[in-house]
Amino acid sequence: MAQSPKKAGASTTAKPAALKPVAPVLLQRSESDVFAATLAGRYAQGINNPTLAAQAWSGAFFRRTSDLELYHRASAANLEIGNLEMVARMAKMVAPGQRPPKAVLTLAIEALGQGRYQDTIRLLDGQKFSPSLSQFASHLRAYALFGQGQSQKAIELAAQPTGMAELDEAALMSRAILLVRAKRLQEAVALFERARTLGQESPAGLRFYSQLLLTTGEKDKAEALLAPLAGRSSVKASSFDAALANLRAGEPAHVALNAQDFVAIGMLTLVEAMADSRPPTETSDLLFLLAYFNPRSYEVAAALGQHLATHGYDELAEPYLQRVSADSPDYVAARTELAWLIYARDPNRALNEARSLATNYPKSFAAMTLLADMLAANRLDSEAEATYHQLIQWAEQAKWSPVEIWPLYFGRGGARERLGRWPEALADLRLAKAAAPNQPNVLNYLGYALADRGENLDEAVIMLRNAMRLRPGSGAILDSYGWALFKSGRLEEAATILERAAGLAPNLAEVADHLGDVYWHTGRPEEARLEWQRALSLNPTEEQTKALETKLANGLPPDPNRAADAAILAQTKSN
């Protein structure tokens, strides 16, 4: 029975407490503005509009400067669009006792760039940083001390051990550059040599070192430093090509840099040496700070642009790569990276960029490799094959190791395969695999090519299974593996793998096409036609389109080499 609401002493006409009118809770104007700006920031991020996101988060922060969460979001959003002045402005608005480490570093590096050395030291003193940021801050402080004329104190500070070997080693080139500024050249040479022994390869630092050797009359040693680094297969190597060419042409040394250039190069060597052991976002933040400190530094612009492009921040990388002058040793590397960013939206323009670079730098291995790769990407396979062939001859004459040459064999093999020159292609692809046995792209291409031809199917399946394990999130590799299973007659396994591939790569026409074929041969014709129809909607090639239209009209003929299809064929003949 329901309990009566009447209680002793209570009026029978009283309303339940829950029904008493309650005053509405209204947001104050400033709070509602913050809420609206926050929603706008989240929306802008959701639609991938970084400029709108930066404006929205900045607006939210300016309405509530005590909110560090808003500061972090606004700062990150403005970094993403390269608005470093706004980042510094916001850092100033955070109360001194609340400033996060990166806000402190932003203000300190701004003060250093403006010659306010005492302000730099004051901002950094007493602050707590992570180990790597602490090392960065210590060297900023050292350069500030140097600016005050306290060179010995600056060098001693930069030499203080952190207790972490990797950070102490990372600081060697920056310390060496401080010694150069103090005109203690032999000590600087010793530190650079130690850094080289430890395998440090900061392009800016090593080029600086080669110039230092020139000033000390050691041209042969400078050439011996640069020659093994120049003319190699990596894009980074191109940054040493111009330095070596200038040295051999008798160009004078250039170590008499201004104060800002010294700091930028010194701190850049520190950041590059720490990069492998730090999160990519921290490296990019520190490079942004250096770009803010010295926007004229081509070395910093090149390093930042390449770092951003490597980690998928294409739009943000582009203006920094564009900033690198043709006079810079980093020019070819920067233009190579830029060409691939352009390719994503305009393949023809990217190809023209590659042709132009190769024309202007015909002896640059990086420029010529870019041209070969871009020709292959645009399916100009005859020209690509000839360019790869030229590069392979170049590399073999220079006695490069197979590890350096395999990308060229891989590129030429792919071009030859598409040109229908399969025996030559197979030889190239096997050379690439022998030199790079765990390279998933090589395993995928060779495995798929073998499977599609019905050759060495057991080997192809094993190869593609290994590629799948190395790169499990690749829909294209899963598709190749599923196709090899299909060709081997393992239809149910193939269907399972290709369904996974379609989930990972829903926009690849070839995956849908293959899945349709498997469905057809496993007795699921309606599902097969749905997949073929879907493949037609995914921008297939002209050749694929014709094949798909034929399948939709007629289905697939039985394959006498496949047991299930052979039975169908036998039944058809008997009728």
Side-chain angles (χ1 to χ4, degrees):
M1 184 177 68
Q3 184 178 359
S4 170
K6 186 175 180 179
K7 294 184 180 178
S11 168
T12 57
T13 60
K15 293 182 179 179
L19 298 180
K20 289 181 180 178
V22 178
V25 178
L26 299 176
L27 291 173
Q28 297 296 321
R29 174 61 188 271
S30 60
E31 292 177 333
S32 63
D33 288 348
V34 169
F35 183 65
T38 299
L39 287 180
R42 293 183 185 279
Y43 170 75
Q45 289 176 322
I47 63 170
N48 196 27
N49 187 330
T51 301
L52 180 59
Q55 292 171 349
W57 287 118
S58 298
F61 170 71
F62 288 140
R63 290 175 174 86
R64 190 187 292 161
T65 56
S66 61
D67 191 326
L68 291 183
E69 177 63 24
L70 290 178
Y71 166 76
H72 286 301
R73 289 183 177 275
S75 178
N78 279 280
L79 278 177
E80 190 171 346
I81 63 170
N83 191 349
L84 306 180
E85 290 77 11
M86 179 62 76
V87 173
R89 179 185 170 191
M90 290 189 297
K92 293 172 186 174
M93 298 182 73
V94 179
Q98 289 186 301
R99 283 174 185 153
K102 287 175 187 173
V104 174
L105 290 177
T106 300
L107 298 179
I109 207 164
E110 179 186 62
L112 184 62
Q114 295 172 354
R116 295 186 288 112
Y117 303 122
Q118 190 56 44
D119 286 345
T120 302
I121 295 168
R122 177 183 55 78
L123 282 161
L124 295 172
D125 280 346
Q127 294 290 333
K128 292 183 179 180
F129 300 102
S130 67
S132 57
L133 291 184
S134 179
Q135 184 76 301
F136 188 88
S138 292
H139 280 250
L140 285 183
R141 192 184 290 110
Y143 283 106
L145 286 169
F146 206 105
Q148 290 183 322
Q150 302 182 62
S151 59
Q152 182 57 35
K153 191 173 180 181
I155 292 167
E156 290 173 358
L157 175 60
Q160 287 182 359
T162 65
M164 299 179 67
E166 65 183 40
L167 292 180
D168 294 338
E169 292 168 2
L172 291 174
M173 286 191 181
S174 179
R175 282 170 53 198
I177 289 171
L178 278 167
L179 286 165
V180 171
R181 289 201 67 195
K183 302 190 184 326
R184 294 160 59 173
L185 304 188
Q186 292 307 317
E187 292 174 76
V189 167
L191 275 185
F192 273 118
E193 282 299 315
R194 187 175 165 201
R196 285 290 293 127
T197 301
L198 293 168
Q200 292 186 20
E201 294 190 353
S202 163
L206 291 174
R207 290 197 306 264
F208 185 96
Y209 179 33
S210 71
Q211 293 292 299
L212 172 60
L213 291 171
L214 281 180
T215 66
T216 61
E218 298 180 89
K219 181 179 177 181
D220 290 346
K221 190 173 180 180
E223 184 169 351
L225 168 71
L226 294 174
L229 301 167
R232 310 305 294 186
S233 60
S234 68
V235 173
K236 180 188 284 189
S238 67
S239 66
F240 298 105
D241 288 342
L244 182 61
N246 290 339
L247 184 149
R248 288 173 172 167
E251 291 287 329
H254 300 286
V255 293
L257 307 175
N258 63 36
Q260 277 197 319
D261 288 334
F262 262 112
V263 176
I265 292 176
M267 296 300 292
L268 178 58
T269 67
L270 179 64
V271 174
E272 289 182 328
M274 294 190 299
D276 289 341
S277 59
R278 306 308 308 155
T281 51
E282 182 172 292
T283 297
S284 60
D285 286 349
L286 295 180
L287 289 172
F288 273 126
L289 290 178
L290 294 181
Y292 178 55
F293 170 77
N294 189 348
R296 300 182 308 279
S297 171
Y298 296 140
E299 289 89 350
V300 172
L304 177 55
Q306 290 179 71
H307 178 80
L308 292 168
T310 298
H311 291 90
Y313 296 97
D314 294 358
E315 291 185 10
L316 187 54
E318 198 161 323
Y320 290 101
L321 295 170
Q322 291 277 16
R323 189 183 296 178
V324 179
S325 165
D327 298 330
S328 167
D330 291 307
Y331 181 73
V332 170
R335 301 307 293 190
T336 296
E337 199 73 65
L338 185 60
W340 284 114
L341 300 186
I342 293 170
Y343 176 81
R345 62 178 184 271
D346 191 342
N348 287 330
R349 182 186 159 202
L351 176 59
N352 290 335
E353 291 277 341
R355 289 190 189 279
S356 175
L357 197 65
T359 299
N360 292 325
Y361 298 89
K363 295 183 179 181
S364 167
F365 191 86
M368 295 303 295
T369 301
L370 171 68
L371 176 59
D373 290 343
M374 202 63 75
L375 288 165
N378 281 272
R379 291 297 185 262
L380 298 173
D381 290 312
S382 293
E383 196 176 349
E385 191 272 343
T387 308
Y388 282 124
H389 186 71
Q390 176 187 343
L391 287 164
I392 288 170
Q393 289 183 317
W394 179 353
E396 289 178 340
Q397 288 170 3
K399 301 188 184 314
W400 288 9
S401 70
V403 173
E404 291 181 281
I405 301 178
W406 77 258
L408 303 177
Y409 289 132
F410 181 47
R412 188 176 69 178
R416 286 175 167 176
E417 189 268 337
R418 292 186 295 274
L419 288 168
R421 295 160 57 182
W422 174 238
E424 295 171 277
L426 179 59
D428 276 343
L429 293 171
R430 288 205 179 279
L431 284 172
K433 179 179 177 291
N438 295 315
Q439 217 296 328
N441 291 338
V442 173
L443 295 173
N444 180 49
Y445 199 106
L446 176 55
Y448 179 81
L450 289 170
D452 201 44
R453 288 168 172 76
E455 298 178 12
N456 302 332
L457 286 171
D458 290 343
E459 179 192 13
V461 167
I462 292 170
M463 209 179 294
L464 291 165
R465 186 189 301 126
N466 289 338
M468 181 182 68
R469 288 171 177 168
L470 289 164
R471 196 170 289 167
S474 170
I477 291 177
L478 275 176
D479 171 65
S480 298
Y481 180 51
W483 192 242
L485 292 172
F486 168 69
K487 286 286 192 173
S488 300
R490 296 159 63 176
L491 302 187
E492 295 301 329
E493 291 177 81
T496 300
I497 292 296
L498 287 169
E499 285 167 351
R500 285 173 54 196
L504 287 169
N507 297 321
L508 288 182
E510 192 169 20
V511 178
D513 184 16
H514 287 163
L515 183 55
D517 287 8
V518 172
Y519 281 159
W520 181 271
H521 285 291
T522 52
R524 299 156 71 177
E526 295 306 318
E527 290 172 89
R529 286 194 167 90
L530 285 174
E531 289 300 321
W532 292 332
Q533 191 66 53
R534 189 168 70 85
L536 271 180
S537 71
L538 297 175
N539 299 316
T541 64
E542 184 176 345
E543 183 180 355
Q544 287 173 330
T545 298
K546 290 178 180 177
L548 285 164
E549 289 173 345
T550 299
K551 291 177 189 180
L552 282 166
N554 306 316
L556 287 173
D559 181 352
N561 296 319
R562 201 178 309 279
D565 290 0
I568 296 172
L569 185 61
Q571 182 66 34
T572 303
K573 287 181 177 178
S574 67
N575 293 334

